[in-house]
């Protein structure tokens, strides 16, 4: 099984040279640590920053310079700053090449639920609905099952939706899945996870090709 | 004679804000919030406010201070975590909350400032956000119609401003401030540094003074950091 860093490392392989990338909170943030040498990407933070750099050195925090998770960050040579309307304008206009975000549920037709659990305190969708409605290339990073052991790869989402027909790829602790033609297509499995286990833990329609790779 | 936009302080800037009004309040989290005016609204004890702001502050800072005083009737925001009093009032039904996508929030402000009655966005199509809203298909994709906001006052925070109301923001404290500045019937700007007209380079102005009705230099800016994340000098994160 892949741990959080393993999931992030695998997703980093999907990041190509020259991409503008938006990373959500949680596992997606870790992806930045595994972008291969020789590949240049520019990170977009939807509060209004392109070219997000690492956390500042201790003592150099700037209250005016934060990311979408409200963490203090830095700029890089070539960074740019803009307002919130332009930030979502570039997202809506599909200028951002790749969006990586977490989810509570994903369905076999590419729907995603990641913002609200009925009966629990609702914090809000933030920028997630804008991102999933517009991005042309979205990868979801999440655990395959919830804490009770229920599959999060479903025929239909049961939680309130964030967006519909928008997710193309899911990377979980068990493997990598493409979503197309109303099904999850197994692309790679974690080295120590059997196809039978993946089948048992995937509630949505699962297509298993003859050759399934191993997550490296 | 001429343009009299400069006011003495937050108290003078907030004249005319009354119970039941709709206010836009700039900032993202605690970054770039008009903290002097928020303090003044607490002092003023205005109630039944509708606040349009991306977030709702924390318990003891930002818009959280207005919530503590039970001055807010309704919040229109995209994300409202990090605030226990907010949660209590929301669950007890004392506070009405309308959650909308962040880009929709920004664009509804922008539309008001650009004189457009509504915009179309794909954000929220197929979700509960779309319930009751008009949709339209363009080039095979469905969009929601979202109305421009209508706010009595917009309260923003800028880094520098001049006596004619021209504003320059600093770093990501820009966020929602420029579009809210454009959207208020009356716009109040509090700035870290107020300079004479002519001191700022016209090419560097983010918000032209035509949108700003009242401007003052804030007495004090705490600029609290919500999530202090750093790298240690020894190289670890």
């Amino acid at each position: 099984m892949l741990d959080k860093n393993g999931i992030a490392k695998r997703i980093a392989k999907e990041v190509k040279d020259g991409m503008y990338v938006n990373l959500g909170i949680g596992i997606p943030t870790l992806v930045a640590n595994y972008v291969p040498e020789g590949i240049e990407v520019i990170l977009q933070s939807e509060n209004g920053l392109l070219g997000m750099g690492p956390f500042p050195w201790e003592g150099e925090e700037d209250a005016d310079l934060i990311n979408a998770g409200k963490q203090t960050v830095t700029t890089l040579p070539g960074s740019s700053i803009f307002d919130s309307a332009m930030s979502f304008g570039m997202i809506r206009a599909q200028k951002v090449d790749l969006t990586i975000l977490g989810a509570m549920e994903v369905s076999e037709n590419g729907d995603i639920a990641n913002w609200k659990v009925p009966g629990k305190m609702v914090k809000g969708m933030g920028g997630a609905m804008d991102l999933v409605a517009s991005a042309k290339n979205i990868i979801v990073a999440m655990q395959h099952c919830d804490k009770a052991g229920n599959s999060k790869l479903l025929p239909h989402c049961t939680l309130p939706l964030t967006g519909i027909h928008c997710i193309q790829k899911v990377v979980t602790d068990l493997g990598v899945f493409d979503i197309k033609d109303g099904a999850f297509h197994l692309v790679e499995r974690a080295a120590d996870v059997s196809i039978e286990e993946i089948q048992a833990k995937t509630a949505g329609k699962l297509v298993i090709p003859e050759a399934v790779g191993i997550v490296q | 004679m001429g343009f009299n936009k400069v006011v003495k302080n937050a108290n003078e800037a907030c004249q005319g804000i009354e119970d039941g009004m709709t206010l836009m309040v700039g900032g993202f989290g605690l970054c770039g919030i008009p903290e002097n005016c928020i303090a003044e609204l607490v002092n003023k004890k205005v109630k039944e406010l509708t606040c349009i702001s991306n977030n709702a502050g924390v318990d003891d800072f930002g818009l959280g201070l207005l919530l503590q005083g039970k001055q807010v009737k309704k919040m229109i925001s995209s994300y409202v975590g990090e605030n226990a009093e907010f949660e209590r009032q929301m669950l007890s039904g004392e506070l009405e909350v309308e959650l909308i996508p962040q880009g929709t929030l920004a664009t509804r402000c922008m539309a008001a400032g650009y004189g457009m009655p509504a915009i179309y966005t794909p954000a929220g199509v197929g979700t509960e956000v779309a319930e009751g809203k008009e949709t339209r298909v363009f080039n095979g994709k469905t969009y929601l119609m979202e109305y421009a906001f209508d706010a009595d006052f917009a309260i923003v925070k800028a880094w520098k401003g001049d006596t004619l109301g021209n504003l320059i923001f600093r770093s990501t404290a820009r966020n929602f401030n420029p579009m809210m500045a454009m959207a208020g019937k009356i716009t109040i700007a509090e700035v870290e540094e107020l300079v004479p007209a002519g001191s700022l380079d016209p090419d560097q102005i983010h918000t032209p003074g035509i949108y700003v009705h009242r401007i003052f230099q804030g007495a004090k800016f705490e600029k609290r950091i919500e999530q202090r994340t750093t790298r240690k000098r020894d190289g670890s994160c």
Side-chain angles (χ1 to χ4, degrees):
Chain A
M1 293 214 307
L2 304 176
D3 62 8
K4 286 179 179 181
N5 284 292
I7 294 172
K9 206 169 168 179
R10 175 60 187 81
I11 291 175
K13 288 188 179 177
E14 306 291 326
V15 177
K16 307 293 182 233
D17 195 32
M19 275 185 166
Y20 291 97
V21 182
N22 181 291
L23 301 177
I25 293 164
I27 299 175
T29 305
L30 300 173
V31 173
N33 300 336
Y34 297 103
V35 174
E37 285 284 319
I39 284 185
E40 192 181 356
V41 300
I42 293 179
L43 299 180
Q44 198 247 18
S45 189
E46 66 267 23
N47 56 317
L49 170 61
L50 266 173
M52 180 171 60
F55 295 152
W57 297 112
E58 264 183 326
E60 293 181 3
E61 308 92 291
D62 179 349
D64 287 340
L65 183 50
I66 62 170
N67 65 14
K70 305 183 182 84
Q71 299 169 312
T72 46
V73 292
T74 53
T75 54
L76 293 169
S79 287
S80 59
I81 305 262
F82 35 86
D83 63 54
S84 300
M86 185 179 283
S87 183
F88 285 94
M90 64 183 71
I91 287 166
R92 221 179 282 120
Q94 303 194 331
K95 305 297 179 186
V96 178
D97 300 295
L98 176 63
T99 295
I100 303 169
L101 75 177
M104 298 171 189
E105 295 177 347
V106 174
S107 81
E108 62 194 24
N109 58 8
D111 297 348
I112 176 171
N114 74 349
W115 75 285
K116 181 177 184 180
V117 179
K120 287 196 178 172
M121 170 63 187
V122 182
K123 293 188 170 185
M125 66 291 281
M129 284 194 183
D130 305 276
L131 282 159
V132 301
S134 293
K136 56 191 169 197
N137 190 5
I138 307 175
I139 303 176
V140 164
M142 67 176 193
Q143 303 301 320
H144 205 94
C145 297
D146 65 18
K147 283 178 184 139
N150 302 307
S151 179
K152 294 164 72 172
L153 280 63
L154 302 169
H156 303 284
C157 292
T158 63
L159 295 169
L161 293 170
T162 308
I164 54 170
H165 312 312
C166 52
I167 308 301
Q168 292 89 17
K169 193 179 280 288
V170 183
V171 179
T172 76
D173 47 333
L174 304 188
V176 181
F177 305 83
D178 283 340
I179 300 177
K180 57 185 178 192
D181 307 325
F184 297 100
H185 295 250
L186 180 60
V187 180
E188 291 175 12
R189 62 180 174 86
D192 55 350
V193 174
S194 69
I195 288 175
E196 290 71 29
E197 180 179 353
I198 291 171
Q199 261 174 326
K201 289 182 173 173
T202 304
K205 190 176 174 194
L206 179 67
V207 175
I208 299 164
E210 282 184 23
V212 175
I214 304 289
V215 178
Q216 298 299 321
Chain B
M1 282 288 289
F3 298 90
N4 298 309
K5 298 185 188 233
V6 178
V7 293
K8 281 203 296 289
N9 50 32
N11 175 273
E12 202 173 302
C14 292
Q15 292 297 318
I17 298 181
E18 292 168 9
D19 291 357
M21 282 189 165
T22 297
L23 311 180
M24 284 180 173
V25 182
F28 180 92
L30 301 178
C31 181
I33 59 172
E35 38 184 290
N36 288 276
C37 283
I38 291 171
E40 173 58 24
L41 293 174
V42 172
N43 289 336
K44 234 173 134 67
K45 297 189 167 58
V46 280
K47 288 195 160 47
E48 300 285 304
L49 298 171
T50 294
C51 290
I52 301 167
S53 190
N54 190 55
N55 312 91
V58 294
D59 277 319
D60 62 344
F61 200 58
L63 288 180
L65 296 171
L66 290 180
L67 291 162
Q68 293 289 342
K70 301 193 171 59
Q71 293 171 268
V72 183
K73 178 183 70 177
K74 180 176 180 182
M75 278 297 312
I76 301 175
S77 304
S78 86
Y79 190 84
V80 294
E82 349 297 350
N83 191 322
E85 175 62 15
F86 183 100
E87 183 169 349
R88 192 196 64 72
Q89 290 184 21
M90 181 173 162
L91 294 174
S92 71
E94 292 166 58
L95 177 68
E96 191 184 337
V97 180
E98 184 180 343
L99 293 169
I100 62 176
Q102 196 172 324
T104 301
L105 179 66
T107 313
R108 289 177 68 187
C109 295
M110 190 199 77
Y114 276 73
M116 300 184 296
I119 55 106
Y120 286 98
T121 176
V125 167
T127 76
E128 64 183 50
V129 166
E131 283 167 19
K133 287 179 184 160
E134 198 174 317
T135 60
R136 187 161 166 181
V137 176
F138 295 96
N139 300 320
K141 182 166 176 167
T142 305
Y143 294 78
L144 298 182
M145 188 175 75
E146 297 276 8
Y147 290 102
F149 282 124
D150 183 15
D152 298 300
F153 280 83
I155 308 174
V156 304
K157 188 262 169 176
W159 178 45
K160 287 185 180 178
D162 71 17
T163 49
L164 282 175
N166 294 303
L167 303 178
I168 295 177
F169 302 92
R170 183 177 172 277
S171 202
T172 58
R174 192 180 321 183
N175 56 61
F176 286 85
N177 284 299
M179 57 259 346
M180 287 186 174
M182 295 168 70
K185 285 196 193 75
I186 297 174
T187 291
I188 301 166
E190 61 174 71
V191 299
E192 290 183 51
E193 191 184 348
L194 181 64
V195 299
S199 320
L200 302 176
D201 177 354
D203 274 330
Q204 304 301 319
I205 304 288
H206 294 129
T207 298
I210 192 169
Y211 286 112
V212 177
H213 305 87
R214 303 174 188 175
I215 188 166
F216 70 101
Q217 184 170 306
K220 165 176 162 277
F221 287 94
E222 180 182 336
K223 300 221 272 185
R224 195 184 291 188
I225 291 175
E226 201 163 338
Q227 304 279 346
R228 187 180 297 273
T229 45
T230 57
R231 279 179 291 166
K232 291 208 185 335
R233 297 282 176 181
D234 64 12
S236 61
C237 280

